[in-house]
Amino acid sequence: MPQIFKSGANTTVKICLLALGFLPVAVFGGGSLISRSPANTNVEVPLNQPVPFSHKHHVMELGIDCRFCHVSVEDSKHASVPPSETCMTCHAQIWTNSPLLEPVRKSYAEGTPIIWNKLNKVPEFVYFDHSIHIDRGINCNTCHGPVQEMHITFKGKNLSMSWCLECHREPEKYIRDQAPGKNISPQEQVFQLYRNLQAHKEESLSDLDKDLVNGEALMTKKEDIEGGEKLLEKYKINKKQLMDCWVCHR
Amino acid sequence: MPKRDQSNIEGIESSAKSKAYWRNAEHEKGSDATKNWTEDEFPHRGSLLDIDRRDFVKLLGASTIMAGLVGCRSLPTERIVSYSKQPEGQVPGISQFYASCFTMGGYAYGILVESREGRPGKIEGSPIHPATLGSSNHWMQASLYDMYDPDRTKAVFKQNTPNSWDEFMHDVRKKLDRNPGESLRILTGTVTSPTLIRQITRLIELHPGVRWHQYEPFNDDNSMAGANQAFGVTCQPVYDFAKANVVVSFDSDFLFSGPAHVRHAQEFSAKRNLASTESSMSRHYAFYSNATPSSLSADHRWPMQPSKVGNVAFAILDVIKGNPASGEHAKEIAAIVADLQANRGKSIVVAGEQMPAEFHAAVFAINQALGNIGQTMRMVERITAGDESQRTSITSLATDMMTGKVKSLLILGTNVCLTAPNSTNFKEALKKVDWTAYLGTHMDDTMRSCSWQLPESHSLESWGDARAFDGTATLQQPLIRPLYDSRSSIEVVDLFLRNSRSGRELLQETYASSLGTNGEKAWDQWLHDGIVPGFESKTLAVTASGIVAESTSMAGDIEAVILPDPNVFDGRFSNNAWLQELPKPISQLAWDNAVHVSPATAKTLGVADEELVEVTVGGKSVRGPIFGIPGMADGTVVLHMGYGRTEGGTIASGTSASMPDVRNKMADVATLGFDVSPVWNGESLAGPAQITKIGGKYGLVSTQIHHLMMPGDEEKTPLIVRSGTLEEFHSNPSLVAEHEHKFPDDQTFYSFTDEEGEGQPYKWGMSIDLSLCIGCNACTIACQAENNIPTVGKEQMSRGRELHWIRVDRYSSGNQENPDDFVFQPVPCMHCENAPCEPVCPVAATTHSKEGLNQMVYNRCVGTRYCSNNCPYKVRRFNFLNFGDKVDKPSLILLNNPDVTVRGRGVMEKCTYCVQRINKARIDAKKEDRTIGGDEVVTACQAACPSKAIVFGNLADPKSQVSKQHKNSRNYMLLKELNTRPRTTYLGKVRNVNPVITPTKTEEHGSH
C-alpha cells in the first residue's frame, strides 16, 4: 500500500499551521489597510460634479481669492458653496455660450439649485467650525490639500478622528506666524500666502510655505515648534481644552 | 479604589433628624411599590414578555444577523444644494432671530424666534415685550412642535372631499352677491387683534346681517363683570407684583395662567430673591381649592372648597371695613388684614378667573380699601373686543342656530364643538346651519361637522397681530412661507371683504395712521421690536365702590371645578406630543387627565389612585380614574378639559401607532383620558358633585416616583432639600438643620486631583434657587426643544423611559394629606467634579472636560448603562427604542436643532449644560479676542425660566451671577455626603411665614 503522505507532507502541515497563525494578522491588517486606503476614504479620488469646475484655473491661473466664493468661511461654521449668482458675476460676461456652464445658467435663470456632490464630510456627530480655524491662521490646504493644483476637486485629507487629533494634541507643531515682523492678523496671513503663491510661484516661497501650500503643515524643526508654542500663548490657546470631547462632539 | 460605602459616613444617620422630605405617600412609607420601582431594572416588565416563543427565536436570529450587517454599508454620497441667489444678509450656519408673537386666549406674548437657514427653530421670550420680559412658558416653547405637526390640515376640503381656496372664494362671493343682507355669523375665540377687529367691523358695516360671536371656554367674563360691578365701567386689571410686599390670592394661579403670568412670575420672584440675610422678601397667602404652582408655592396655604374661598374674601373685606373677624379662620384673617394694612399700597389681593363676578367685585373693593389701585395695580380700558359676555354670546348663537335664524356660519380656529357649554348642544345646532366654514389647524370635532374645512396657517408662517395684557400691540411676523396650502384668519376674513390681500398688507393698512411720515423706517423698527408703540391701554381713574353683593356659589359636600388642562389647555394642544409627555405641574401626570381629589377625600370615598369613578354634576356624569393630589382642598374635585378626544390628530385621539397603551384601557374607551364636556356647563365652578366608584382601573403615568434619589426609608434619608422660614434663615443663614452633619468641603474618599481644573479660565456651574422655583416645567420643555429630545409615548413612560434631561421633582414634608411644605426641585445633570458615572464606563464614553463639564460622547457609547446605575442623582437617560427616529414623519425632522446630535438607539444621553451654546460663545469670544463673559452663556432652561430660579455661568469669574449664587449662604450641594462635588448647586427654600399665624406644631397645620 503506497504511502498516503509524501515526505513533504510534514513541511506542508507546518507551513499551513504557521500560515493559520498569520491569518488573523493578515485579515485584520489587510482590513485596516483597506479601510485606510483611498478605496474607502476617497482621499485623492477626483469626484465628478455637475459642472466641471477647476480650482486650479480659478485660483492659480486667475488668482481669485478663496473668499470670493466661500464667503462665510471667516464668519460661520460652513465655508459655504457659492450661489449660482456668484458664478454669473463673471460668466454673464465671459464663456457665455460654453456648454459646460449650461447648468449654472439654467440654475440662475430658473432659480433652481445646482446639486453638488459633497467631498469633505465629517460624521454628523462631529461639529467642525471653519471660522475659528481660519481665525487662528490654519491654512485651507492643511485640511483640503493642494487645492490650487486640483482640476477636478478631490478630498485632500482623510478627515479621520486620529488625523484631527494630530493637530489638536500638538497644535504648536502646526501653528505659525506666516508673516513674521509684519503686523497682520493670522486670518489675513492665510490668504496672504495664496496671494504670494499666485504672484511669485511656488519656487520663490520659503520651505515652510511650500509645505503649507502642498498641504503639509507639520513643522519638525525645533525653532519652528518653539515659535508655535509662543503663538499658543499669544492666542491664549488652551492645549488641554482642545482635547475635550465636547469641543467637537456634542 | 478605596471603598465608598455610604454607611461609613458619619452624619447620614444624624441628618435623618432634620426635616424629612418625601415625593409621595408610598415613598414616605417606604412601601413595596416604591421599592419595586427603584429596585427593578425593568419596571412593568410583564408586557415585555408578552411575546411567544417562535417570535422570540425569530427576533433573536434576525437581530444577531442584523447586528453584524449594520457595520457593512457604504455611506451614500451626500449632496450640497446651493442657492441660486443667496438671500441678502443670510450667512449659512448663522442663526438669525426675529421678533414675532405667540397668541393664546387672544392675548399676545412677544417672542423671538430663531431662524436657521430660513427655518423656524427655538422660541424664546422677547426681552423687550412686557408680557414675557425674555422668559417663556411651556406653551410658547411647544408651539414650535405644532408648526411641524404632521397631522395638520394641509388642503381645503369640502365635506371631506378635496377642494380649493378658489372654489371657496367663489362660493363666498356668490353668497354675498345673491343676498348681501344674509345672516352670516362669525365665531372666533377671544380677539384682541386690531386688524381682525377692524376687518370684522368693516364687514358688519357692509353687510348688516353679519354678527360676531366670541367664545372660549376659559375667558374673563367673570372678572369683567366683577370689575363692572365694582367700578361701574368696563375695565380690566394690570398688576405689578414687583411692588407688592404682601400678596393674598383666592384660588388664583397668577403665576401659571392668564395673559400676564410669565411677567407675574418674574416680578413675584424678583421680590423673593434672597441675595443675603439683609434682603427682604414678599409674603404670599393663598386661599385655594386647587393645587397649582401658585398655591403650593405660597408661604401660607389654606386649602378649602371653592365656595368657602369666596367666604374668606368677604370676611377679609368685612374686617378691613372695621368689623371684628369672626367665624372660621378668624384669627388668621385678623393677622392677614393687619399685615395688609401695614403694607397699604404695597400689597395685591388677586382672585382666580373662574371665581364668580360678585367675588371679583369684593376683591377689587379690598384692593381699593388698601390703597393698592394706582400703586400695585391699575385698571385699564378693556383690551378684548366686544362687550358681550362670551357665555351669553355662544348661548344666543346656539339658540339662533337651533331655530334656523342662522343661514351661514364662519368659525375661525375655535374648536367649539368640544368646548361649548353642554346646554348649547352645539354639534346638533351646527347641523341646522346650511353653510358652515371652519378654519383650523387640525381636523378636529368642529371641522368634521362643518362643510368647508379650511386649513389654518400657524402663527410662525403667517402675518397677524394681537395685544398683550396691558394693551401693547404686538406684530406676528412669519418666519417661513406656509408649509401647506393654508391661510390665516385675517386672510380668510379678507375674502369676505372681496379682497385677497396678503397678511402683511392687511397689517400695514391697520397701522397706516400710526406710521406717519417716515413710514417704511418706522415699520421696519416695529417689525424689529415686534411692538407697535402707542397701543398700551389707558389707565382709568376709577374707584371701586365698597358695596358688594354676597356671592351665591353653590356649596356641596364635594364641589366640582372644571379647569383647562395645565398642558393641553382646552384641547388646543392635544396633538402636541411635547406637551402631552411633559409631566403636568403638581400631579406630574403625563398623557392623561384624571379625577383629582385630595388624598383625604379619596380615603373617605374609599377609592385609590387609578380606580375608575363616576363624577356626577348637575345630573350629568363622566367617568375617569382617580388621582390624589396632596395639598388640594378636601371636598373638591378638579377635572381638566382637553382629553378624551376622538378627533384632532393621531396623538390627540390616542391612535398614534407610536404610543399604544397596551396594558390597560379605560373600560370600552380607547381615548387618552376622558372628555369632561358632558358636565361642562360653561362655568368652571360647576357646583356640587357626587363621586361613585364604578370598579376597574385605568393606568396613569405620573413621574412623581420616577428617578428617586433616595430609598423610601426615612432612617437613611440623605440631604435633598434644605428649607426654613425667613426667621430661621436669619438665625441660621445656611439653613443647615441642627443635627445635620457638617461635611468639610475638602473631604475626599480617594485621591483625585483637581489640578487640571485649576487655572482654567472657565469653570461652568449652575445654581437653582428653590425659593423661586414654582414647578411650572417650562425648563423641561425648553430643554426638549433645544436638545432634540424625543418623546417616548405613554407606555414607555410608564416604564420610566422618558428622556427629559431636566426634571422637576416635587417634595413634601409633614402630614401626608395636607403637607406643611412643598418644594419644587429642578434636577439636571449635576456635572459632578468627582462624577461617579465616569469611572464605571468601560469605553470612556463619559469623561470630564477641563472646564468641568461631564461630557457624554454618544458615538462612543455602547449602552452598558453602568453610568446611569451609578448616578446618585438619576439624571442619565437611555434611548431604548430609537425614539429620535422620525423617518415616518419627515416634517418633524425639521424640528431638530442642527447644533445638537440626534441620538440613536442604545445610547445614553443627559444634560450637557447646553454645550453647543458654550462652544458658540467660546468661538465668538476667541474671534473677538476676549474671554467669555461670566453670564454670557445662557442655557435653554435658564432662558425659559419665568421665575429666574436657574442661573448658569462661569464660576471662575467672581463677578458672575452664578459665582455670587454659589457664595450665597443658602447654597448647598445635593447629596453632598457622597462627595461628588456637583457643579450644579441649590439655594435652600425659604418661606416668609407670618410669625403671628404659624402654628408651632405641624399637626395643627394639617388640620385645616
Side-chain angles (χ1 to χ4, degrees):
Chain A
M1 187 181 148
Q3 289 275 341
I4 295 173
F5 294 108
K6 299 219 169 87
S7 57
N10 278 353
T11 320
T12 312
V13 168
K14 277 176 195 162
I15 289 171
C16 284
L17 282 175
L18 206 65
L20 213 63
F22 277 109
L23 193 69
V25 179
V27 167
F28 285 102
S32 76
L33 279 180
I34 291 169
S35 81
R36 278 151 217 248
S37 76
N40 182 42
T41 62
N42 291 329
V43 173
E44 297 185 6
V45 179
L47 183 61
N48 280 326
Q49 300 287 358
V51 182
F53 176 84
S54 165
H55 273 97
K56 182 169 183 171
H57 174 64
H58 289 86
V59 175
M60 213 40 199
E61 293 163 25
L62 301 175
I64 297 173
D65 195 297
C66 309
R67 294 166 293 180
F68 187 84
C69 299
H70 303 291
V71 284
S72 58
V73 73
E74 294 170 308
D75 307 317
S76 167
K77 55 189 171 189
H78 303 306
S80 80
V81 167
S84 313
E85 206 175 10
T86 306
C87 311
M88 293 302 281
T89 43
C90 297
H91 289 295
Q93 311 286 332
I94 51 170
W95 297 107
T96 49
N97 291 320
S98 165
L100 295 178
L101 288 165
E102 183 50 32
V104 179
R105 289 193 295 269
K106 186 169 173 250
S107 159
Y108 184 70
E110 295 175 4
T112 50
I114 301 176
I115 299 179
W116 303 91
N117 295 317
K118 196 164 186 169
L119 278 172
N120 294 292
K121 184 188 174 308
V122 287
E124 55 269 36
F125 48 77
V126 179
Y127 291 85
F128 176 82
D129 189 298
H130 276 93
S131 66
I132 189 62
H133 289 86
I134 293 290
D135 196 73
R136 287 295 180 256
I138 305 299
N139 281 66
C140 310
N141 293 13
T142 306
C143 307
H144 293 298
V147 178
Q148 74 282 1
E149 302 294 329
M150 298 179 190
H151 261 308
I152 295 294
T153 315
F154 52 81
K155 188 175 171 185
K157 303 278 170 173
N158 72 9
L159 309 186
S160 69
M161 181 166 164
S162 61
W163 173 83
C164 293
L165 285 174
E166 282 171 18
C167 185
H168 270 232
R169 275 201 185 104
E170 297 177 308
E172 68 276 10
K173 291 189 180 168
Y174 292 85
I175 192 164
R176 68 185 188 88
D177 194 345
Q178 296 164 51
K182 290 182 193 162
N183 190 21
I184 51 174
S185 69
Q187 175 177 341
E188 210 40 55
Q189 288 171 16
V190 170
F191 300 102
Q192 186 60 40
L193 175 69
Y194 302 122
R195 282 196 285 270
N196 289 345
L197 174 68
Q198 207 269 328
H200 313 298
K201 300 292 171 257
E202 202 179 321
E203 294 73 45
S204 66
L205 298 181
S206 71
D207 287 349
L208 276 175
D209 284 352
K210 262 185 216 162
D211 284 352
L212 258 189
V213 297
N214 287 319
E216 300 301 330
L218 177 68
M219 300 187 293
T220 44
K221 282 192 201 141
K222 203 181 158 209
E223 65 266 26
D224 291 341
I225 296 170
E226 276 168 4
E229 276 165 354
K230 275 191 196 127
L231 277 184
L232 291 189
E233 237 164 77
K234 188 180 162 196
Y235 297 164
K236 298 194 191 87
I237 294 176
N238 189 337
K239 259 176 82 175
K240 286 174 180 167
Q241 195 264 329
L242 275 188
M243 286 288 294
D244 281 343
C245 307
W246 272 355
V247 167
C248 309
H249 306 292
R250 45 177 117 125
Chain B
M1 195 188 293
K3 204 174 163 198
R4 297 181 64 183
D5 189 345
Q6 290 179 21
S7 60
N8 290 347
I9 311 167
E10 193 191 340
I12 289 280
E13 299 294 326
S14 55
S15 76
K17 292 191 189 75
S18 68
K19 205 168 181 183
Y21 278 89
W22 39 269
R23 289 257 195 104
N24 71 356
E26 274 77 38
H27 176 207
E28 198 222 12
K29 284 178 282 182
S31 75
D32 288 347
T34 316
K35 230 172 225 168
N36 286 345
W37 178 266
T38 47
E39 287 171 11
D40 192 350
E41 188 181 4
F42 298 105
H44 302 306
R45 72 174 79 205
S47 58
L48 289 174
L49 298 175
D50 286 346
I51 182 170
D52 70 20
R53 189 184 51 85
R54 279 166 162 270
D55 284 340
F56 179 75
V57 174
K58 265 190 256 174
L59 284 174
L60 187 72
S63 51
T64 313
I65 296 163
M66 299 293 179
L69 287 178
V70 285
C72 310
R73 62 192 166 147
S74 65
L75 297 168
T77 309
E78 284 196 16
R79 312 288 171 187
I80 299 175
V81 182
S82 64
Y83 283 108
S84 171
K85 297 171 193 71
Q86 191 157 334
E88 211 176 320
Q90 193 179 96
V91 183
I94 293 183
S95 297
Q96 288 163 310
F97 288 82
Y98 292 92
S100 189
C101 170
F102 166 74
T103 309
M104 190 152 155
Y107 287 95
Y109 299 81
I111 54 175
L112 285 184
V113 191
E114 184 179 3
S115 170
R116 300 167 180 143
E117 272 104 60
R119 171 164 63 85
K122 186 79 173 52
I123 294 174
E124 309 280 11
S126 164
I128 58 168
H129 193 272
T132 57
L133 300 173
S135 297
S136 52
N137 62 23
H138 54 311
W139 295 311
M140 287 159 69
Q141 293 290 340
S143 68
L144 187 67
Y145 183 99
D146 274 349
M147 150 112 200
Y148 295 114
D149 186 349
D151 294 342
R152 273 178 62 182
T153 44
K154 299 178 176 96
V156 177
F157 280 76
K158 190 183 183 186
Q159 276 142 359
N160 297 325
T161 49
N163 213 299
S164 72
W165 281 106
D166 283 344
E167 281 298 312
F168 176 69
M169 204 157 73
H170 286 310
D171 199 19
V172 168
R173 291 204 177 155
K174 214 163 64 192
K175 212 170 156 48
L176 295 173
D177 286 341
R178 203 175 49 220
N179 185 4
E182 194 187 65
S183 126
L184 165 71
R185 303 293 177 98
I186 299 175
L187 174 62
T188 63
T190 309
V191 173
T192 64
S193 159
T195 303
L196 193 56
I197 294 173
R198 176 180 66 81
Q199 286 179 303
I200 298 181
T201 315
R202 177 82 188 129
L203 191 62
I204 294 171
E205 275 168 30
L206 293 174
H207 302 280
V210 175
R211 262 195 74 193
W212 178 17
H213 301 267
Q214 292 181 65
Y215 178 71
E216 278 195 33
F218 304 99
N219 48 51
D220 48 13
D221 278 0
N222 289 352
S223 71
M224 280 300 175
N228 232 329
Q229 285 179 21
F231 299 102
V233 287
T234 307
C235 54
Q236 58 189 85
V238 171
Y239 300 99
D240 185 355
F241 284 90
K243 287 187 192 155
N245 292 338
V246 179
V247 176
V248 182
S249 67
F250 294 105
D251 230 343
S252 166
D253 196 5
F254 61 98
L255 299 174
F256 190 70
S257 70
H261 75 267
V262 177
R263 187 191 177 95
H264 288 170
Q266 283 198 48
E267 291 177 340
F268 184 69
S269 83
K271 263 297 206 191
R272 297 171 70 82
N273 197 345
L274 292 170
S276 71
T277 45
E278 271 90 64
S279 314
S280 65
M281 185 182 188
S282 70
R283 184 177 287 150
H284 176 200
Y285 303 93
F287 295 91
Y288 67 97
S289 57
N290 186 24
T292 61
S294 314
S295 57
L296 293 197
S297 60
D299 299 307
H300 284 285
R301 301 177 295 107
W302 291 279
M304 53 180 67
Q305 287 182 300
S307 61
K308 294 195 176 117
V309 173
N311 299 341
V312 173
F314 288 108
I316 286 184
L317 183 60
D318 245 17
V319 178
I320 290 177
K321 280 177 179 166
N323 303 325
S326 62
E328 213 183 346
H329 301 297
K331 207 178 106 199
E332 288 94 339
I333 288 172
I336 291 170
V337 170
D339 203 3
L340 284 170
Q341 269 164 347
N343 286 287
R344 285 181 62 83
K346 284 184 219 144
S347 60
I348 288 177
V349 182
V350 58
E353 286 297 338
Q354 73 279 13
M355 303 300 284
E358 296 77 27
F359 175 81
H360 281 274
V363 168
F364 288 127
I366 295 175
N367 280 311
Q368 184 73 55
L370 292 168
N372 292 337
I373 294 175
Q375 299 293 322
T376 54
M377 61 186 283
R378 58 199 169 94
M379 301 306 297
V380 300
E381 280 178 345
R382 183 175 180 150
I383 292 158
T384 49
D387 45 16
E388 197 180 18
S389 131
Q390 294 196 355
R391 264 188 303 277
T392 320
S393 193
I394 191 76
T395 312
S396 72
L397 173 65
T399 318
D400 289 354
M401 284 158 73
M402 279 294 191
T403 51
K405 278 189 201 156
V406 180
K407 293 279 173 263
S408 28
L409 175 67
L410 169 70
I411 306 173
L412 297 174
T414 174
N415 185 9
V416 71
C417 283
L418 184 80
T419 58
N422 54 17
S423 57
T424 60
N425 207 355
F426 205 88
K427 219 167 184 170
E428 283 307 307
L430 208 51
K431 288 182 189 153
K432 303 236 161 80
V433 183
D434 303 335
W435 188 92
T436 49
Y438 179 82
L439 178 74
T441 53
H442 289 86
M443 182 54 91
D444 56 29
D445 317 65
T446 313
M447 188 179 273
R448 191 66 83 192
S449 315
C450 286
S451 52
W452 277 104
Q453 298 152 331
L454 311 169
E456 186 180 9
S457 299
H458 189 267
S459 62
L460 293 174
E461 48 180 33
S462 61
W463 290 91
D465 59 354
R467 291 171 77 198
F469 73 103
D470 63 348
T472 306
T474 313
L475 294 179
Q476 173 193 311
Q477 182 179 198
L479 273 280
I480 193 171
R481 272 169 199 269
L483 295 180
Y484 312 111
D485 187 16
S486 60
R487 296 198 185 192
S488 64
S489 39
I490 56 171
E491 287 164 349
V492 168
V493 175
D494 202 44
L495 296 179
F496 286 78
L497 291 164
R498 289 151 192 279
N499 286 315
S500 186
R501 284 171 296 178
S502 73
R504 186 188 160 103
E505 286 168 316
L506 294 169
L507 283 196
Q508 282 181 323
E509 198 179 314
T510 306
Y511 298 106
S513 59
S514 314
L515 270 170
T517 45
N518 56 348
E520 207 46 41
K521 214 172 165 189
W523 174 255
D524 286 349
Q525 185 62 40
W526 296 349
L527 279 187
H528 172 270
D529 298 346
I531 293 173
V532 183
F535 278 80
E536 292 75 14
S537 280
K538 281 189 208 77
T539 303
L540 301 171
V542 288
T543 314
S545 69
I547 308 138
V548 288
E550 286 277 331
S551 164
T552 49
S553 58
M554 285 179 289
D557 283 346
I558 293 179
E559 295 176 21
V561 184
I562 301 170
L563 292 172
D565 183 85
N567 287 3
V568 307
F569 205 68
D570 55 6
R572 69 184 67 185
F573 298 115
S574 290
N575 207 51
N576 191 312
W578 284 358
L579 284 171
Q580 288 280 11
E581 187 147 311
L582 181 71
K584 299 177 206 299
I586 320 302
S587 71
Q588 308 273 47
L589 277 182
W591 291 102
D592 277 305
N593 60 349
V595 177
H596 293 301
V597 291
S598 73
T601 306
K603 206 187 269 175
T604 321
L605 294 165
V607 287
D609 283 355
E610 301 191 336
E611 283 185 355
L612 287 175
V613 292
E614 190 165 71
V615 183
T616 312
V617 185
K620 308 247 172 65
S621 61
V622 291
R623 291 186 296 162
I626 281 278
F627 196 75
I629 306 281
M632 232 185 95
D634 296 340
T636 307
V637 56
V638 172
L639 305 171
H640 287 137
M641 193 183 265
Y643 278 93
R645 305 282 304 272
T646 51
E647 302 279 1
T650 52
I651 291 172
S653 58
T655 50
S656 170
S658 60
M659 33 156 258
D661 178 28
V662 294
R663 282 192 300 127
N664 38 32
K665 290 216 165 85
M666 177 159 46
D668 48 343
V669 190
T671 56
L672 279 178
F674 60 93
D675 183 11
V676 299
S677 52
V679 296
W680 172 245
N681 63 7
E683 283 279 3
S684 281
L685 303 187
Q690 288 87 48
I691 299 180
T692 40
K693 190 170 164 176
I694 54 171
K697 271 190 160 194
Y698 174 81
L700 293 170
V701 178
S702 165
T703 60
Q704 182 61 13
I705 63 159
H706 290 194
H707 311 298
L708 280 178
M709 283 191 283
M710 51 185 180
D713 182 357
E714 211 186 310
E715 290 303 304
K716 281 187 184 165
T717 300
L719 176 67
I720 301 243
V721 171
R722 262 185 205 174
S723 70
T725 63
L726 191 60
E727 258 178 34
E728 284 164 3
F729 172 57
H730 285 147
S731 59
N732 173 19
S734 65
L735 296 171
V736 177
E738 201 183 326
H739 301 285
E740 194 181 300
H741 185 87
K742 317 286 188 293
F743 296 99
D745 281 336
D746 55 352
Q747 190 176 358
T748 60
F749 294 103
Y750 56 90
S751 71
F752 66 93
T753 53
D754 190 39
E755 62 208 21
E756 285 195 306
E758 290 305 318
Q760 289 286 334
Y762 308 118
K763 273 176 81 174
W764 304 111
M766 188 180 268
S767 166
I768 301 175
D769 192 338
L770 300 183
S771 292
L772 302 183
C773 179
I774 54 170
C776 72
N777 284 336
C779 50
T780 308
I781 204 154
C783 175
Q784 183 151 31
E786 171 75 13
N787 291 305
N788 303 337
I789 297 173
T791 52
V792 302
K794 183 179 168 186
E795 190 202 354
Q796 292 297 320
M797 218 171 164
S798 73
R799 299 196 180 121
R801 291 180 180 178
E802 65 270 19
L803 288 168
H804 297 137
W805 285 358
I806 180 169
R807 62 174 198 266
V808 181
D809 289 341
R810 186 195 80 213
Y811 287 97
S812 323
S813 74
N815 183 325
Q816 272 178 26
E817 277 155 14
N818 179 25
D820 321 330
D821 194 8
F822 286 93
V823 178
F824 302 104
Q825 186 178 50
V827 188
C829 174
M830 296 285 126
H831 290 271
C832 314
E833 288 176 4
N834 187 10
C837 50
E838 289 171 12
V840 295
C841 180
V843 294
T846 184
T847 57
H848 224 73
S849 94
K850 302 299 175 289
E851 297 176 353
L853 300 177
N854 169 242
Q855 311 170 116
M856 180 67 221
V857 187
Y858 311 122
N859 42 309
R860 199 178 252 184
C861 176
V862 294
T864 62
R865 297 188 288 134
Y866 295 165
C867 53
S868 167
N869 195 29
N870 215 32
C871 173
Y873 305 102
K874 298 291 155 232
V875 293
R876 288 181 160 260
R877 301 285 175 269
F878 190 68
N879 190 332
F880 278 87
L881 295 175
N882 215 3
F883 297 116
D885 188 10
K886 291 168 186 153
V887 280
D888 56 333
K889 289 177 177 172
S891 65
L892 287 180
I893 294 173
L894 301 174
L895 259 181
N896 287 336
N897 182 353
D899 291 332
V900 178
T901 309
V902 177
R903 285 81 56 187
R905 183 201 338 252
V907 171
M908 192 58 76
E909 52 189 75
K910 62 156 197 93
C911 161
T912 64
Y913 269 174
C914 284
V915 68
Q916 64 280 5
R917 295 186 178 205
I918 299 176
N919 283 358
K920 184 182 177 296
R922 187 190 293 116
I923 288 173
D924 288 348
K926 277 184 175 176
K927 285 196 283 194
E928 290 162 25
D929 199 21
R930 59 177 175 88
T931 50
I932 309 173
D935 300 320
E936 187 178 335
V937 183
V938 177
T939 61
C941 52
Q942 177 190 9
C945 181
S947 60
K948 297 285 157 235
I950 302 175
V951 172
F952 177 81
N954 182 8
L955 289 170
D957 176 1
K959 289 196 203 85
S960 71
Q961 214 191 335
V962 71
S963 295
K964 286 177 193 154
Q965 299 274 67
H966 274 232
K967 286 187 200 99
N968 190 310
S969 61
R970 289 181 291 138
N971 184 60
Y972 75 94
M973 293 176 183
L974 196 58
L975 306 182
K976 189 180 180 184
E977 59 273 28
L978 303 180
N979 198 39
T980 53
R981 314 221 294 177
R983 282 276 173 93
T984 304
T985 61
Y986 293 87
L987 299 186
K989 160 114 180 168
V990 176
R991 286 192 305 146
N992 183 7
V993 297
N994 189 335
V996 185
I997 297 176
T998 306
T1000 43
K1001 286 179 197 157
T1002 50
E1003 283 75 19
E1004 220 178 284
H1005 201 206
S1007 66
H1008 297 302

